[in-house]
Amino acid sequence: LGLSGPPGAGKSTFIECFGKMLTERKYKVSVLAVDPSSSTSGGSLLGDKTRMTELSRDMNAYIRPSPTRGTLGGVTRTTNEAILLCEGGGYNVVLVETVGVGQSEFAVADMVDMFILLLPPAGGDELQGIKRGIIEMADLVAVNKADGDLIVPARRIQAEYVSAMKLLRKRSKVWRPKV
């Protein structure tokens, strides 16, 4: 599964919860977390693993943060190979967290079985902020953090994306993207 979304959407938190659910059901889970590299220093924080404390201690999970090192598309130059290595190593589920979202951070969509766009419920003009390119590639749009005071904005953004996705050309004859 490939996961992308804007900063603050809760990608790492979602991955930790989902990953723990999978390991409790006896799946072996691998997480490939991609962090942006600085155009100035070339360094990366590689901090996603620190947000997945429970999953990182799980014996049925493997978390590998990697820097982009200037590679565009939201992944690293070797993400596809890393996915294959994880599958070869016996991991049933491989989750790839991309650097973030924009118009072109969806290279992972061609590397995975399902590409998920994770969105927060409130953030202004969502359809303008997340451009057509990435929406067209999404197999599933998940509105995260949809509880408490955010239930109403979450329902609104869900309705906006359901309408927007009806206007897009279908990528598959058998799957219609869900929101």
Side-chain angles (χ1 to χ4, degrees):
L1 302 175
L3 292 111
S4 192
K11 295 182 295 291
S12 296
T13 303
F14 174 85
I15 289 170
E16 172 154 78
C17 292
F18 187 57
K20 287 296 293 174
M21 181 200 72
L22 291 169
T23 60
E24 287 168 4
R25 294 179 181 183
K26 307 301 180 214
Y27 287 95
K28 285 185 70 180
V29 176
S30 176
V31 178
L32 303 173
V34 182
D35 275 353
S37 297
S38 167
S39 58
T40 305
S41 69
S44 293
L45 292 177
L46 304 178
D48 287 316
K49 188 173 183 175
T50 62
R51 285 187 237 135
M52 301 178 206
T53 54
E54 286 184 45
L55 191 60
S56 67
R57 291 190 299 257
D58 191 315
M59 294 304 293
N60 287 315
Y62 168 74
I63 302 173
R64 169 72 182 183
S66 299
T68 59
R69 291 193 177 109
T71 302
L72 300 176
V75 294
T76 71
R77 186 177 50 80
T78 58
T79 296
N80 202 45
E81 290 83 355
I83 292 170
L84 294 173
L85 284 170
C86 291
E87 289 173 342
Y91 290 93
N92 312 82
V93 179
V94 180
L95 304 172
V96 182
E97 178 183 358
T98 69
V99 296
V101 72
Q103 294 184 55
S104 61
E105 287 78 18
F106 54 78
V108 73
D110 292 327
M111 300 176 191
V112 296
D113 295 319
M114 177 172 266
F115 179 52
I116 302 168
L117 178 60
L118 198 63
L119 300 172
D125 189 354
E126 286 84 3
L127 289 176
Q128 180 59 29
I130 298 167
K131 301 296 184 176
R132 185 176 182 125
I134 199 163
I135 296 170
E136 289 175 321
M137 300 306 288
D139 296 306
L140 179 69
V141 175
V143 180
N144 201 17
K145 303 180 179 183
D147 58 357
D149 292 342
L150 296 176
I151 291 173
V152 172
R155 296 263 188 247
R156 183 181 50 77
I157 192 173
Q158 177 189 21
E160 287 178 15
Y161 273 87
V162 167
S163 295
M165 300 207 47
K166 288 178 185 173
L167 303 174
L168 301 177
R169 187 173 55 101
K170 295 180 190 82
R171 289 185 345 138
S172 168
K173 293 179 188 208
V174 295
W175 177 256
R176 177 175 288 258
K178 309 286 185 213
V179 180

